[in-house]
Amino acid sequence: MKLIETRKYLKKLELAEFPEPEIIRLNHPVLLCHGYGAIASVVNPSPLYEVCLILRKHGVLAFAPNIVPYATIEIRAEQWAERIHTLVETYSFEKLHIIAHSMGGLDLRYALNHADIAPYTASLTSVATPHRGTILAEFVLNTPGLVKEKLGEFANWFGNNLFPKSKSDSVGAIHQLTREYVREQFNPANPDVAGIPYYSYSAASGKGTGQPVNTIYRYQNNLIFEEEGPNDSFVSVESAKWGEHLGTAPISHIEQMHINVSKERKKLVENFWVNLCKDISNKELSSSI
């Protein structure tokens, strides 16, 4: 018995021939676009900063800039377009693979239709984007007037201090995430741009999935489940599907930004982002054949 245990221990000490992280080959750099809110920015330089470092560790030339955290799609789209032009001009990039999280996916769909970024876009991949809205936005808007007003004031104050270059409009942004607005106004006005691949990933945790959910988000997870089915506590699986749906990740909306991730689940989150870039690489390869 002791001999078996010794062998197991020694097995762990074996040196791998190539111990470094696997390199992911992409023809174009990656731009990571964050969604609504600024919680992650309290602890990180940008909401998707940790994700950016994960990808860079695998040889992906990735960028995760900031824009105004609480603003309407039109304002946010304009700022994403500015970031894209800055990267293209600074580094002479021909195109970028855009990976947009949450509301960021709507921002970039709008920008592709109304800003001059289509020539520089190799693909758009959305992650947990409410392409058909979310009942959570309606729930927030239906809170008592005084409570909603105070929450909006605090979010705007918070956003204006974190990103003083733009005026925040937290309530206006939430209105644009409602199911009625996205389905009846946004989607008809922002069709897919020809020649650009649109990919999407959904995510699900909590009720109906067997995956854990933070107690803080349990109520909203149940709320969305009752109306829209499995979700990641912010966006349902069905709402997140757009273009070619490439899969459903077993991680929550907050975990996707590498926030509040337990030690046991860190590898799961990292693998999601790494595999996403591998999927894009495979799409590049198949389109060139």
Side-chain angles (χ1 to χ4, degrees):
M1 188 66 178
K2 288 184 178 180
L3 180 60
I4 294 175
E5 291 178 355
T6 301
R7 285 176 177 172
K8 286 182 179 179
Y9 179 77
L10 293 175
K11 185 70 176 177
K12 294 179 180 179
L13 296 178
E14 280 188 15
L15 297 176
E17 293 181 359
F18 294 96
E20 297 80 17
E22 178 186 2
I23 293 295
I24 302 172
R25 293 182 177 274
L26 289 172
N27 293 336
H28 306 287
V30 164
L31 172 64
L32 295 162
C33 301
H34 66 78
Y36 177 94
I39 297 175
S41 298
V42 176
V43 294
N44 292 323
S46 68
L48 294 175
Y49 181 76
E50 292 296 332
V51 175
C52 185
L53 295 188
I54 288 171
L55 298 185
R56 286 193 174 192
K57 187 172 69 173
H58 287 268
V60 176
L61 188 55
F63 300 85
N66 286 303
I67 64 161
V68 57
Y70 302 102
T72 59
I73 292 170
E74 293 82 0
I75 297 298
R76 290 167 55 90
E78 182 181 348
Q79 292 189 9
W80 286 126
E82 291 174 357
R83 303 298 179 274
I84 290 170
H85 285 290
T86 296
L87 288 173
V88 168
E89 292 168 8
T90 302
Y91 298 103
S92 300
F93 295 146
E94 291 184 5
K95 292 178 181 288
L96 296 165
H97 285 297
I98 300 173
I99 302 175
H101 182 246
S102 195
M103 185 180 181
L106 301 181
D107 300 338
L108 270 298
R109 282 178 55 201
Y110 184 93
L112 281 168
N113 277 277
H114 303 283
D116 184 27
I117 68 165
Y120 310 109
T121 304
S123 67
L124 172 60
T125 302
S126 60
V127 177
T129 290
H131 291 292
R132 293 162 190 81
T134 172
I135 190 177
L136 186 61
E138 297 152 32
F139 174 78
V140 173
L141 292 176
N142 287 329
T143 55
L146 183 60
V147 175
K148 180 174 66 178
E149 180 183 339
K150 293 301 180 184
L151 288 173
E153 288 178 357
F154 174 76
N156 289 341
W157 171 83
F158 189 44
N160 289 336
N161 279 279
L162 282 176
F163 201 84
K165 296 179 181 179
S166 298
K167 187 176 181 180
S168 294
D169 182 7
S170 59
V171 176
I174 291 175
H175 171 73
Q176 292 184 324
L177 299 175
T178 61
R179 291 175 293 178
E180 180 180 3
Y181 178 83
V182 179
R183 295 175 183 181
E184 297 183 13
Q185 295 186 53
F186 182 84
N187 285 345
N190 293 278
D192 291 354
V193 175
I196 296 177
Y198 286 70
Y199 308 122
S200 64
Y201 289 85
S202 55
S205 60
K207 190 170 182 179
T209 68
Q211 297 295 325
V213 63
N214 191 303
T215 305
I216 297 173
Y217 304 107
R218 189 167 294 163
Y219 177 79
Q220 62 195 61
N221 179 261
N222 291 338
L223 173 71
I224 299 172
F225 184 87
E226 294 303 320
E227 289 285 332
E228 302 180 51
N231 63 89
D232 64 0
S233 296
F234 283 80
V235 179
S236 71
V237 169
E238 289 306 310
S239 185
K241 294 179 179 179
W242 195 264
E244 184 178 350
H245 183 242
L246 299 180
T248 300
I251 52 180
S252 72
H253 205 79
I254 299 300
E255 285 179 317
Q256 291 156 31
M257 295 183 283
H258 213 270
I259 303 174
N260 292 335
V261 182
S262 65
K263 182 179 178 181
E264 296 75 23
R265 292 176 62 80
K266 279 188 176 181
K267 195 64 179 177
L268 182 67
V269 174
E270 180 174 335
N271 285 343
F272 165 69
W273 290 104
V274 169
N275 289 332
L276 184 156
C277 284
K278 286 182 179 179
D279 286 344
I280 295 176
S281 176
N282 290 334
K283 293 294 182 183
E284 280 187 338
L285 182 61
S286 61
S287 65
S288 64
I289 296 176

